[in-house]
Amino acid sequence: MFAYPLTLSVILQLVLTASAYRQPYAYLQAIQSFADAFTNPSSVINGSIASPLAEDVVGRIDVTTTFVGQELNTEYLFGLFVEGASETSTQLIGSPSSYTTQSLVVEPPNVAVSLVNQLHYPTINSYFPLQIDLFIAFDDDMKIISYDAILRRWSEFFTYLTPLIVPQIATELNSTSTNSTELITMKTANDVCEMSTQYCTGENQVYDSNDACMEFMTNIEFGNPWEGGMDNGWCRYIHKNMVKYRPEVHCPHIGPTGGDMCIARDYVQLTEDMPFNATLIAYNASYNALDIKNVPDHNQDELVEIATEIVYMTTVAFYSVSCVIYMLLLYVLAKVIEFFFYRYSMSYRTMSITNQRNSVTYVMDLLVTITALALQLVSSPVLNNRYTFAASGMLKVTALLISGLYIFELTYRISMRWPLMTHHFCTIFAIVLLLSVLSYTRHPALMGAGEIWLFQATTEQSVFVGLLMYRLDYSPRWTRDVLYLAAIQSFIFKLGFAAYLLGFWAQHLVQFHSSDDIALSVLLVVLTVLLMATQVYGAGAVWGLAKKVNRFMNDPLPSPAGSDKSHDTLVFEELHKH
Ligand SMILES: *[C@@H]1O[C@H](CO)[C@@H](O)[C@H](O)[C@H]1NC(C)=O
Ligand SMILES: *[C@@H]1O[C@H](CO)[C@@H](O)[C@H](O)[C@H]1NC(C)=O
Ligand SMILES: *[C@@H]1O[C@H](CO)[C@@H](O)[C@H](O)[C@H]1NC(C)=O
Ligand SMILES: *[C@@H]1O[C@H](CO)[C@@H](O)[C@H](O)[C@H]1NC(C)=O
Ligand SMILES: CC(=O)N[C@H]1CO[C@H](CO)[C@@H](O)[C@@H]1O
C-alpha cells in the first residue's frame, strides 16, 4: 500500500521526462553559461568547462562568416579571444570581460538574446561596450546546435574605437605617422606576418618569407569593418589568432589566397543562404518534417497554434495525464483496501456496505493526507518567501491529491451528511480559486495561503484513526482515548490554521484587500468561515462519539461497539469527520 505514493511519483516522473523540450528556465541557465564562457574563454579552451557547443554546430557571425562544427566554432568563439588577451600589444579585437543581458526571449528550443559585452583594451586601459544579438537553437542535450550572431553597430564600434587606439599602436610600432589607415594597415601586417612566420612553416607555409608577407599585407586593403569574411587585411587579422591551434587549417586563411574564409562573397547569396542544420524558427507544427508532409499549409498553421498554446490552470481543452492516472490509482487503492479488509477483518465483513465504504475511505484519507502533509512540510519554506520550483510543484501535487481524494470520496461513499459535503465542496472550491488567481496574477504569496489552507485538510489523521478503530471494534478504552484526543487535536489545529490563514492574508496579500481585487478576499473569508463551521461541527461529532464509547464502557449491558452496531451506524453517518 505504501508503494502507492511511490508509483504515483514514478508515473509523474515518466510523464515529465517524456517531454522533448526542457522548461524555459533551463534555456535561461544555458544562455547564462554560454555568456559566462564567452567572457571567460580560457576555461573552455583548456577544457575546465565543457563546450556549450554541439558536435555539429553551425554558427554564423554577420561581420565574418559561417563556421561549421564544434572545433572550428570553439576556436572562433573562444580561442580567438584567449589568444588576443595573451598578446601584449594593442589588439583590434578586445577581450570580453563582462556582460549584461539586454533582451531575452525563450521559446524552447530557441532563444533570442542580446548581450552587451564590455570589451577590454588593456594597453589603453579602457573598456568599450559591444552589443551582440544572437538567435540560438539548442539540441536535446542543451548544447548550441545553431547560432546566428549579429554584432550590432560593429562598423560604428570600429569607427569609434580607431582614433582611440591608433596613438598607442603608433607608439608600439615606433611610427611617427598619425594617419589611422596607415597605422591600422601596418599593425595588421605586422601581427599577421608574425604569426605566419612563426606557425605557418613546412607544409603549411603560405608566404615565401616574412618580407613577402609584409609586402602582401601592406598592399592589400584593410577593408570595411563589416567585411570580416572578405578578401582583405581585416579578415586575415581576425584569423591570425587561430593559426597556432591548427596551422594546417588556418594558415591558408591568413595567406594570399584567404583559403575558404577570406574570399569574395556575394551579398544576395549570403543573405538568402540558410546554413543551419537546426531551424531557428521556434514555432513549428511538428518536430519531424515527414510527419507534416501531407498536411495543407493552413492546417500546419493550426498545428503551430496547438503546439504553442500556453496551458493555464484553467484551460478547458487540456488533458491532465497525472490527474487521470491519480483518479485511477484512487480506484485501485480502494479495491486493494476492500480486499484486505474483507480478508482480515471480521467486523468489516459484517457491517453494512455504507460503513464498509466509510471504513475504506478512512484508510484512504489516512494514506493520502500523510503523503500530502509530507509534501507540504517539505515545501513549507514558501511561507517565508523561500519559493522554489520544487516547492511550488509539491504544493500543486498536494492540491491535486486532496481535491482528487475528496471527489473520489463524494462518489464512492453511499451517503454523506451535508456538513461533510459542504466541507469537501468548500475545500475544492478554495483550491480552485487560489490556483486560478495564482495562474493569472502570479502573486507568489498565494502559494503560502494555499499551503496554510491545505494544512486544514492534512492534519486530521488522528480523526481517521479514531473512526477506523471505532468502526473495526478496536479496544473500547483505546478507541475512546484516541477519539477524545482526535477531537481536541483537530479542533485546535483547524482553529490555529484558520487564524494563521487570516493573519497571512492580512500581511502578505495586501493587493487583494482593495476594491479592484477584493473578490479573492471576500471568497477567502466566506470560505474560511464556512469551513470553520463544518470543522467545529466535525470536532464536536468526534467528541460526542468518544463520550458515547465511554458510556458503553461504563455500562456493562450493551457491549461497546459490537451488538449495538445498527444504532451506532446512525451516529456514524454524522460522524465521518468534521
Ligand atoms: C583553465 O582556465 C581557467 C580560467 O582562466 C582557470 O581558472 C583554470 O585554472 C584553468 N584550468 C586548467 C586546467 O588550466
Ligand atoms: C620599437 O623600438 C623598440 C626600442 O626602440 C624596439 O624594442 C621594438 O622592437 C621596436 N618595435 C618595432 C615594431 O619595430
Ligand atoms: C592616410 O593614408 C592613406 C593611405 O596611405 C591615404 O590614402 C590617405 O589619404 C591618408 N589620409 C590622410 C588624412 O592623410
Ligand atoms: C519545422 O521542423 C522541421 C523538422 O525539424 C523542419 O524541417 C522545418 O524546416 C521546420 N519548419 C520551420 C518553419 O522552421
Ligand atoms: C548532421 C548534419 O546535418 N550536419 C550538417 C550541418 O550543416 C553543415 C553545413 O550546412 C553540413 O556540412 C553538415 O553535414
Side-chain angles (χ1 to χ4, degrees):
M1 238 170 269
F2 287 106
Y4 140 78
L6 198 70
T7 319
L8 179 70
S9 72
V10 167
I11 290 174
L12 283 177
Q13 282 303 314
L14 284 177
V15 171
L16 290 179
T17 51
S19 56
Y21 293 149
R22 317 289 173 95
Q23 293 293 331
Y25 192 68
Y27 294 85
L28 298 185
Q29 289 175 323
I31 286 294
Q32 199 179 338
S33 308
F34 169 73
D36 289 343
F38 186 66
T39 48
N40 184 12
S42 55
S43 47
V44 178
I45 294 300
N46 73 18
S48 66
I49 68 166
S51 173
L53 307 171
E55 276 302 325
D56 50 3
V57 57
V58 177
R60 180 168 70 179
I61 300 173
D62 67 335
V63 301
T64 59
T65 186
T66 300
F67 305 105
V68 176
Q70 189 191 51
E71 191 171 17
L72 200 63
N73 275 282
T74 303
E75 286 165 355
Y76 284 99
L77 277 185
F78 304 106
L80 191 159
F81 299 101
V82 174
E83 296 312 314
S86 70
E87 295 289 334
T88 49
S89 70
T90 301
Q91 298 293 298
L92 303 185
I93 305 170
S95 310
S97 64
S98 66
Y99 70 93
T100 51
T101 306
Q102 189 164 90
S103 336
L104 177 57
V105 176
V106 176
E107 179 67 43
N110 293 0
V111 174
V113 63
S114 185
L115 304 167
V116 177
N117 291 269
Q118 294 297 332
L119 297 187
H120 189 202
Y121 288 84
T123 58
I124 55 167
N125 200 17
S126 299
Y127 293 83
F128 304 112
L130 173 68
Q131 187 166 357
I132 304 181
D133 302 334
L134 294 136
F135 289 93
I136 298 177
F138 286 89
D139 68 6
D140 291 348
D141 302 323
M142 295 306 279
K143 299 275 189 192
I144 294 173
I145 182 80
S146 306
Y147 71 86
D148 196 5
I150 302 140
L151 306 193
R152 186 137 21 135
R153 302 184 205 94
W154 174 253
S155 294
E156 197 175 344
F157 177 93
F158 204 79
T159 307
Y160 172 81
L161 174 76
T162 305
L164 301 174
I165 54 172
V166 286
Q168 174 64 23
I169 288 174
T171 310
E172 287 167 9
L173 295 175
N174 299 334
S175 166
T176 52
S177 170
T178 51
N179 182 321
S180 344
T181 315
E182 262 176 37
L183 284 167
I184 294 279
T185 304
M186 240 358 244
K187 167 73 184 164
T188 307
N190 221 54
D191 286 8
V192 167
C193 294
E194 196 183 308
M195 286 295 166
S196 174
T197 306
Q198 188 176 353
Y199 295 105
C200 301
T201 52
E203 292 215 324
N204 301 321
Q205 189 165 346
V206 282
Y207 293 105
D208 292 341
S209 62
N210 194 60
D211 287 348
C213 178
M214 287 300 284
E215 169 76 16
F216 177 86
M217 284 298 297
T218 46
N219 281 309
I220 195 173
E221 262 207 65
F222 177 77
N224 290 305
W226 53 268
E227 289 178 316
M230 308 255 200
D231 188 5
N232 56 31
W234 172 218
C235 180
R236 287 171 177 80
Y237 180 85
I238 292 170
H239 290 265
K240 70 156 172 97
N241 284 1
M242 264 70 65
V243 166
K244 181 176 153 185
Y245 293 121
R246 287 189 295 162
E248 71 283 8
V249 171
H250 296 286
C251 285
H253 303 154
I254 63 168
T257 67
D260 55 357
M261 288 287 175
C262 299
I263 47 176
R265 292 179 192 271
D266 176 48
Y267 166 77
V268 173
Q269 196 196 331
L270 274 186
T271 305
E272 290 179 350
D273 193 25
M274 162 69 195
F276 308 108
N277 296 321
T279 175
L280 287 163
I281 299 175
Y283 299 140
N284 206 330
S286 169
Y287 299 147
N288 188 343
L290 281 182
D291 296 349
I292 46 175
K293 202 172 58 174
N294 297 321
V295 180
D297 283 354
H298 168 70
N299 299 88
Q300 290 201 17
D301 283 349
E302 296 279 323
L303 287 174
V304 170
E305 196 174 330
I306 296 167
T308 56
E309 180 186 10
I310 293 176
V311 174
Y312 293 99
M313 278 179 263
T314 49
T315 301
V316 174
F318 169 63
Y319 186 91
S320 167
V321 173
S322 45
C323 178
V324 171
I325 289 176
Y326 174 53
M327 295 310 289
L328 277 177
L329 279 174
L330 283 175
Y331 174 80
V332 172
L333 181 63
K335 291 295 142 191
V336 170
I337 297 169
E338 281 174 16
F339 172 81
F340 278 103
F341 269 156
Y342 199 83
R343 186 118 192 212
Y344 297 111
S345 168
M346 184 65 173
S347 317
Y348 179 81
R349 264 173 273 157
T350 54
M351 67 177 78
S352 68
I353 175 127
T354 306
N355 286 335
Q356 283 181 338
R357 293 216 161 177
N358 290 349
S359 305
V360 170
T361 55
Y362 299 151
V363 180
M364 294 176 72
D365 287 342
L366 198 57
L367 291 177
V368 175
T369 56
I370 286 172
T371 312
L373 182 62
L375 290 173
Q376 273 180 280
L377 290 176
V378 177
S379 49
S380 59
V382 301
L383 292 171
N384 192 26
N385 293 334
R386 303 291 183 269
Y387 303 106
T388 60
F389 185 78
S392 152
M394 282 188 268
L395 281 177
K396 283 181 208 152
V397 169
T398 307
L400 177 62
L401 287 177
I402 298 299
S403 326
L405 176 72
Y406 283 1
I407 293 168
F408 183 82
E409 228 183 302
L410 285 164
T411 52
Y412 178 77
R413 284 191 172 210
I414 306 289
S415 70
M416 234 164 156
R417 294 292 297 234
W418 66 263
L420 184 56
M421 261 162 61
T422 310
H423 171 269
H424 281 20
F425 271 86
C426 285
T427 304
I428 291 171
F429 189 69
I431 290 171
V432 167
L433 178 73
L434 280 185
L435 287 180
S436 306
V437 178
L438 177 63
S439 83
Y440 291 120
T441 65
R442 297 200 193 168
H443 191 324
L446 289 167
M447 284 189 224
E451 163 100 330
I452 300 169
W453 217 328
L454 283 166
F455 271 128
Q456 296 207 8
T458 56
T459 52
E460 51 185 9
Q461 289 83 358
S462 61
V463 174
F464 306 132
V465 172
L467 292 174
L468 201 58
M469 290 167 80
Y470 177 71
R471 192 50 78 198
L472 297 180
D473 299 338
Y474 200 72
S475 142
R477 166 189 287 276
W478 280 106
T479 304
R480 177 200 59 184
D481 290 350
V482 170
L483 284 172
Y484 272 137
L485 192 86
I488 295 167
Q489 181 260 330
S490 66
F491 184 72
I492 292 175
F493 272 56
K494 277 160 200 278
L495 208 62
F497 283 119
Y500 188 3
L501 179 61
L502 290 178
F504 189 87
W505 164 79
Q507 207 186 340
H508 297 280
L509 293 171
V510 179
Q511 103 172 47
F512 299 102
H513 297 182
S514 73
S515 56
D516 283 344
D517 281 329
I518 196 110
L520 177 83
S521 296
V522 172
L523 286 167
L524 184 134
V525 172
V526 169
L527 286 172
T528 309
V529 169
L530 255 176
L531 276 171
M532 249 357 266
T534 66
Q535 285 158 349
V536 169
Y537 173 90
V542 175
W543 183 265
L545 190 62
K547 268 172 80 175
K548 186 172 162 218
V549 175
N550 194 36
R551 211 169 48 241
F552 277 128
M553 275 175 60
N554 298 331
D555 183 358
L557 273 179
S559 67
S563 63
D564 206 10
K565 193 131 251 188
S566 57
H567 182 233
D568 289 357
T569 307
L570 294 172
V571 183
F572 256 122
E573 281 309 291
E574 290 182 47
L575 284 176
H576 161 238
K577 56 182 183 188
H578 324 295

